[in-house]
Amino acid sequence: MSRFRSLLQASIAATKRALAWNVEDLMPPSEKFVFNFNSKEELKRWHLHSDSEFGGLSTASLEITDVGSNEFNGFIDLESYDTLAMRVRGDGRCYISTIYTDNWLSTTPGQQENNSWQALVYAPKNQWHVTKIPLHQYVAKYKGRVISSETEMNPSRVVAMALSVNAERDVRVPISGPGDFRLEIDWIKALRTTDLI
């Protein structure tokens, strides 16, 4: 009988351990790669645009220097994260980081475009730098104009991201206005810098 009781107690203890969930097991990691620029396949996820498509004079190119792999299909879910980080090496210019989300904020009835959110990124000249942008600092924009500084992004349905040169003159950065530009991107990560509630 004592052997049966020991076996029963061990079985109950094992069942309790199996049924007990641990919050840490359910919590996503504190950071995840969104893009890791280390393969030609990764590069295919990005589209290259310049103002030459609209009658402008600029040109741009996109190259990859290393090899590796990283896959993405569908939405990028950043719901569990509060900051976007990127490791960049630039030319002293200011760039614009854009996050496109599935359209749930409409400025025009029947609008089918994705929502865009923008923040500025400074890329120090000739040195690798990790820049961190809290998601709440991204401002909702439509056709280059701020929609509302009070509007919040829906980070669970990111459909695309973009980086573009800020060609406007800006006294706050060493190089601004028209001219050549170069930005190298090592990786883009989503970070959780605060505890989930």
Side-chain angles (χ1 to χ4, degrees):
M1 189 71 166
S2 64
R3 185 173 181 181
F4 176 75
R5 182 173 287 150
S6 297
L7 191 57
L8 180 63
Q9 288 174 340
S11 177
I12 290 171
T15 302
K16 283 181 180 178
R17 281 193 306 273
L19 292 176
W21 58 274
N22 186 347
V23 173
E24 291 177 6
D25 293 337
L26 298 177
M27 188 177 294
S30 61
E31 69 178 43
K32 78 171 183 176
F33 277 110
V34 177
F35 296 102
N36 192 5
F37 294 89
N38 61 3
S39 74
K40 292 186 182 198
E41 290 302 312
E42 184 77 5
L43 207 58
K44 289 178 185 177
R45 296 167 53 190
W46 285 75
H47 300 282
L48 187 62
H49 298 283
S50 72
D51 69 357
S52 62
E53 296 173 27
F54 310 102
L57 301 175
S58 68
T59 59
S61 65
L62 193 57
E63 301 173 11
I64 194 102
T65 56
D66 296 325
V67 295
S69 66
N70 193 7
E71 294 184 13
F72 159 65
N73 292 309
F75 296 107
I76 302 170
D77 184 357
L78 302 181
E79 181 68 36
S80 300
Y81 303 93
D82 56 51
T83 301
L84 196 67
M86 54 189 81
R87 185 171 186 257
V88 296
R89 179 164 57 187
D91 52 9
R93 285 185 175 272
C94 183
Y95 289 82
I96 301 169
S97 171
T98 306
I99 296 176
Y100 298 95
T101 58
D102 194 28
N103 187 1
W104 62 276
L105 167 71
S106 182
T107 58
T108 307
Q111 175 188 336
Q112 296 301 312
E113 297 175 8
N114 295 319
N115 299 136
S116 66
W117 306 82
Q118 294 184 335
L120 296 177
V121 175
Y122 173 66
K125 189 172 183 175
N126 299 326
Q127 62 182 345
W128 284 105
H129 174 73
V130 175
T131 185
K132 296 177 183 177
I133 310 165
L135 293 180
H136 73 271
Q137 287 185 2
Y138 280 82
V139 178
K141 291 200 172 180
Y142 180 70
K143 294 188 176 181
R145 296 182 185 209
V146 173
I147 296 173
S148 168
S149 59
E150 301 298 316
T151 308
E152 290 187 20
M153 177 192 307
N154 177 4
S156 66
R157 296 179 70 84
V158 174
V159 295
M161 292 182 179
L163 281 167
S164 55
V165 66
N166 183 11
E168 294 182 9
R169 295 219 179 265
D170 189 337
V171 296
R172 296 172 293 173
V173 293
I175 303 171
S176 65
D180 294 340
F181 62 93
R182 179 183 177 93
L183 179 67
E184 296 176 71
I185 311 161
D186 186 17
W187 48 254
I188 298 175
K189 291 181 181 178
L191 304 177
R192 186 177 63 250
T193 61
T194 57
D195 292 333
L196 293 177
I197 298 174

